[in-house]
Amino acid sequence: MAMNRRKFLGAAAAGAALPSTVNIARAANRDTISIALAAAGPREADPNKTILGADNWATEQMFEQLVRPKDGMFGVREEDFVPTLAESWKSSDGARTWTFALRKGVKFHKGYGEMTSDDVVHSFDRARKGMNRANFFNVKEVVKDGDHSVVIRLNGPDPLFLGSSVFYNNASIVSKKADIEKGEGFSQDPVGTGPYELARFDQKSGIYVKAFDAYWGEKAKTPNLSILYISDTTARTLALLSGNADMIEAVRAPGWVDSMLKRDKTLKFDMTVPGSFNTLMINLTRKPFDDIRVRRALAHAMDQTTLATALTPMGGVVATINPPGFPAGFTKQQLPPELRYEHDINKAKDLLKEAGFPNGLDFESNCSQREDYSSTMLILQEQIRPAGFRMKLNMMDHTAFHAANRNDLNTLAMNSSSYPPIPTRVYIDYLSSEANATKDGKGGQNYSHYGVVTPGIDDQLKQALNATTYDEYLKICQSIELQVQRDLPAIGLSTLSYTIARNSRVDVGYDVKSGYARWRLHRATAA
């Protein structure tokens, strides 16, 4: 970290003693907004390779997709999206064919010329081969139709295609010329079309971007953004309180928001609702978790209501994979009684005994040291212990944790990601065999190997993606939720609002209500 803990401690001490001095210093630097995120250092700035949420904050500023939802919101229906690199679009053939008319005159950063159909075709082709390629398996082909029109043909109909695939980080449009020219170097010297372009990629401190003068749309209101990586909770908190950071990724741990307001009641908190899906994926290749009786025992040993309540005001109760209120999501009361897995330690013990573990079992799991992960997993550790699950948690740096999961090195892997109210999105990422995690790290986020070592939901997923009506789509998705409850390759833990704490002098420029765990700062200003 360029801004180490000692520096922030010193700054905080100075700020406490001379608050007016700090305010004057910040007021003189209104051309830059700094945001500090919970990670040790940037890994990638290529939107097709990022696996860190912090990295996505940088790509969000530098890259664009063909369409995007209104700021601060998720998009689902076509009318929820606004033209971006595509000026217009139409679907035909029962939502199997999508034609996009590209905006003319869009310039790539760093003099890489005007965006054309070739760049869009290239971008989708690399997305279909890259990380999270499972999200594009319904894409049959992407072809140009002149210099400023692209046709995307699907294997099956997808009336929600804009939200399910087009507005997806991996579908960001990159410069074909720059990508070929830079090769592996593209990941730290990326070229997009967004309102900000890369100024500096520093592996130790962060990613620095500057407003792109030739941007086709409304120019960024603040000339510079510093996207800082500060994994240390204390340092990040003090950075905000001392004025050395304008915004920080909140510490999503019990009591943190209240404690911050006691120190500075003027602080603002932007929260997405429902926010991240906190999901526990059970590695079905690790004994004894290949035994459904053990997984059911685990489900009965857990108490999701207590988990969510501990994370107030950011936590929300879930019963299945998608949260209640989202399409296909269930409340516990809406589930059949046998799939509710009510908190019952005695029943969990009985199931473990039946599975051959009358004295319980010992096992290890990796856990990110980031607070939203560690606080949830530590609570879970204590919840399941009385039933006989003696879980040793190996705390890891957040970046290393994600890398280990990708290399199939975990037993119970918690994952936290935001998803739109399009149920198939999380199924594709977490549960499809296409997303199976592999030891070489080139697979996806299906850490349970569901659908690979056991029958999964692939067939139902294909049916959902080929549904011709929304009612049919929803019915199949609800069936998938129930199937997952029966098989338990994954268990919903809670929802957790992605939260940014900011100094009140920073105006984001719009209200954050929902959306991914990142948002654009092109309208943000600092008074």
Side-chain angles (χ1 to χ4, degrees), residues 216-383:
W216 60 269
E218 180 183 354
K219 302 292 189 294
K221 292 186 179 301
T222 297
N224 304 292
L225 301 178
S226 297
I227 301 164
L228 309 174
Y229 289 62
I230 305 177
S231 61
D232 185 283
T233 299
T234 304
R236 199 166 70 254
T237 300
L238 291 177
L240 178 65
L241 293 173
S242 68
N244 283 281
D246 299 299
M247 309 166 68
I248 66 168
E249 182 176 347
V251 180
R252 292 186 287 174
W256 187 82
V257 170
D258 288 342
S259 70
M260 290 295 285
L261 286 172
K262 287 178 182 176
R263 301 181 74 170
D264 184 349
K265 63 182 179 182
T266 70
L267 290 175
K268 303 294 183 184
F269 297 87
D270 300 306
M271 295 184 188
T272 58
V273 177
S276 301
F277 298 11
N278 285 354
T279 307
L280 189 73
M281 283 182 269
I282 303 170
N283 193 330
L284 303 178
T285 69
R286 302 283 180 103
K287 290 186 178 300
F289 292 99
D290 59 335
D291 188 328
I292 185 61
R293 295 169 296 184
V294 174
R295 300 199 295 278
R296 287 175 182 159
L298 181 66
H300 278 295
M302 295 168 52
D303 182 351
Q304 287 132 318
T305 300
T306 298
L307 273 173
T309 303
L311 296 164
T312 301
M314 296 177 270
V317 178
V318 297
T320 59
I321 298 300
N322 274 282
F326 265 30
F330 287 84
T331 65
K332 186 158 283 192
Q333 291 70 32
Q334 290 172 327
L335 289 168
E338 70 276 13
L339 299 182
R340 293 176 186 169
Y341 301 107
E342 302 285 3
H343 179 55
D344 188 332
I345 294 297
N346 289 329
K347 193 162 188 176
K349 286 182 175 178
D350 289 343
L351 281 163
L352 274 187
K353 183 178 180 180
E354 185 181 330
F357 299 94
N359 299 316
L361 58 98
D362 299 273
F363 66 101
E364 296 185 14
S365 289
N366 298 328
C367 179
S368 167
Q369 65 184 12
R370 207 173 78 175
E371 293 79 9
D372 51 333
Y373 283 75
S374 59
S375 59
T376 295
M377 288 299 287
L378 286 167
I379 294 171
L380 180 67
Q381 182 186 46
E382 293 307 311
Q383 282 188 350

Side-chain angles (χ1 to χ4, degrees), residues 384-397:
I384 64 178
R385 190 190 304 276
F389 289 98
R390 295 179 293 273
M391 176 170 63
K392 178 184 176 183
L393 286 175
N394 302 316
M395 292 296 176
M396 305 174 70
D397 167 78

Side-chain angles (χ1 to χ4, degrees), residues 287-511:
K287 290 186 178 300
F289 292 99
D290 59 335
D291 188 328
I292 185 61
R293 295 169 296 184
V294 174
R295 300 199 295 278
R296 287 175 182 159
L298 181 66
H300 278 295
M302 295 168 52
D303 182 351
Q304 287 132 318
T305 300
T306 298
L307 273 173
T309 303
L311 296 164
T312 301
M314 296 177 270
V317 178
V318 297
T320 59
I321 298 300
N322 274 282
F326 265 30
F330 287 84
T331 65
K332 186 158 283 192
Q333 291 70 32
Q334 290 172 327
L335 289 168
E338 70 276 13
L339 299 182
R340 293 176 186 169
Y341 301 107
E342 302 285 3
H343 179 55
D344 188 332
I345 294 297
N346 289 329
K347 193 162 188 176
K349 286 182 175 178
D350 289 343
L351 281 163
L352 274 187
K353 183 178 180 180
E354 185 181 330
F357 299 94
N359 299 316
L361 58 98
D362 299 273
F363 66 101
E364 296 185 14
S365 289
N366 298 328
C367 179
S368 167
Q369 65 184 12
R370 207 173 78 175
E371 293 79 9
D372 51 333
Y373 283 75
S374 59
S375 59
T376 295
M377 288 299 287
L378 286 167
I379 294 171
L380 180 67
Q381 182 186 46
E382 293 307 311
Q383 282 188 350
I384 64 178
R385 190 190 304 276
F389 289 98
R390 295 179 293 273
M391 176 170 63
K392 178 184 176 183
L393 286 175
N394 302 316
M395 292 296 176
M396 305 174 70
D397 167 78
H398 191 62
T399 305
F401 167 74
H402 276 300
N405 286 342
R406 290 273 181 170
N407 286 278
D408 191 24
L409 296 175
N410 210 348
T411 303
L412 301 185
M414 175 182 160
N415 208 64
S416 181
S417 291
S418 297
Y419 283 95
I422 301 175
T424 42
R425 279 291 312 279
V426 69
Y427 306 151
I428 290 170
D429 275 359
Y430 288 180
L431 302 168
S432 73
S433 59
E434 290 278 344
N436 186 46
T438 55
K439 294 189 181 302
D440 63 4
K442 295 181 178 178
Q445 298 180 83
N446 179 354
Y447 306 137
S448 66
H449 309 288
Y450 192 45
V452 178
V453 298
T454 65
I457 49 86
D458 284 356
D459 289 342
Q460 290 193 80
L461 180 58
K462 289 178 182 175
Q463 292 172 23
L465 294 174
N466 281 281
T468 55
T469 68
Y470 187 73
D471 286 345
E472 181 188 1
Y473 171 85
L474 188 59
K475 185 177 180 180
I476 298 169
C477 289
Q478 289 174 326
S479 175
I480 290 174
E481 297 277 337
L482 296 176
Q483 181 68 43
V484 173
Q485 284 295 104
R486 281 191 287 273
D487 294 343
L488 292 177
I491 301 175
L493 294 169
S494 72
T495 59
L496 189 60
S497 294
Y498 185 78
T499 305
I500 291 291
R502 60 180 162 89
N503 192 297
S504 58
R505 65 173 169 265
V506 175
D507 182 354
V508 176
Y510 55 88
D511 293 330

Side-chain angles (χ1 to χ4, degrees), residues 118-128 170-174:
D118 288 329
D119 299 296
V120 176
V121 171
H122 176 77
S123 299
F124 272 89
D125 283 347
R126 76 197 297 266
R128 295 167 65 192
N170 296 63
S172 297
I173 306 305
V174 306

